[in-house]
Amino acid sequence: MSETYKMKIAGLERELPICPLNDNVSIAGFIIFGDVELTVACAKELLEKLPEFDYIVTPEAKSIPLAYEMSRQCGKKYFVVRKKEKVYMRDPVSVTVNSITTKSEQKLILDGADGEQIRGKKIVILDDVISTGESLQSVEKLVNKFDVDIVARAAILAEGDAAKRDDIVFLGELPLIFK
């Protein structure tokens, strides 16, 4: 039987699998895919904590269900920053990113047409978990190419030192587990 970390998120209890990052540090793996009850509850709680905004921007892929549900609940459009350029993209804009949960450098790409829609608008940057902040900073760097007003950086959970930040909105703290 694998080890788990029990926590309450948006009023719901969940047991998260413990996942080793290296010989000294593990994380509690938080995946929202397929957990509709949790997605709906987290979307509601996050929307209550956010200032007024025009659009949600989220990186691919784990936070897409949350962005969709928040969009459904508030009626505001969301945009997905992709990891690979797609054939439908016109004038794609990109930045590179490193994350503790991804082993190699990645590229984040926004369709130029989407960028023009968000230009000058109030934006919420949304992710499932904020850990080192590298992904968040990369999305921020990307959307800032379109002169947006970032009114909030939000996630369901803040991991490790990210929970000490006062510039993000989140629902709960996810600890780093040291051996």
Side-chain angles (χ1 to χ4, degrees), residues 23-161:
D23 291 339
N24 301 317
V25 182
S26 295
I27 59 172
F30 178 73
I31 305 294
I32 199 164
F33 286 141
D35 194 335
V36 175
E37 179 185 36
L38 185 61
T39 303
V40 170
C42 289
K44 182 179 185 297
E45 276 199 25
L46 276 172
L47 284 168
E48 290 170 0
K49 293 180 137 201
L50 293 175
E52 183 61 33
F53 65 92
D54 298 311
Y55 297 118
I56 297 166
V57 177
T58 193
E60 185 175 49
K62 293 186 298 185
S63 55
I64 293 173
L66 178 64
Y68 167 81
E69 181 57 27
M70 288 174 68
S71 180
R72 190 192 68 77
Q73 287 183 25
C74 73
K76 296 182 180 180
K77 190 172 181 175
Y78 72 97
F79 295 89
V80 177
V81 172
R82 305 298 302 260
K83 293 178 182 174
K84 292 187 179 180
E85 193 170 320
K86 303 298 178 183
V87 294
Y88 64 80
M89 292 181 165
R90 299 293 180 252
D91 301 317
V93 177
S94 67
V95 296
T96 57
V97 61
N98 291 299
S99 169
I100 67 166
T101 57
T102 307
K103 297 205 184 268
S104 61
E105 186 175 84
Q106 291 183 324
K107 191 182 255 192
L108 293 182
I109 305 163
L110 185 64
D111 187 340
D114 290 347
E116 290 307 319
Q117 283 188 59
I118 66 172
R119 185 175 296 283
K121 300 296 185 184
K122 294 178 182 173
I123 302 300
V124 170
I125 298 175
L126 179 69
D127 212 342
D128 60 332
V129 177
I130 296 172
S131 186
T132 64
E134 290 288 330
S135 296
L136 188 72
Q137 287 174 338
S138 295
V139 173
E140 189 168 334
K141 183 178 174 184
L142 183 60
V143 298
N144 275 332
K145 292 182 178 198
F146 297 97
D147 302 315
V148 299
D149 178 11
I150 300 168
V151 297
R153 295 148 189 89
I156 298 170
L157 300 171
E159 185 173 60
D161 286 343

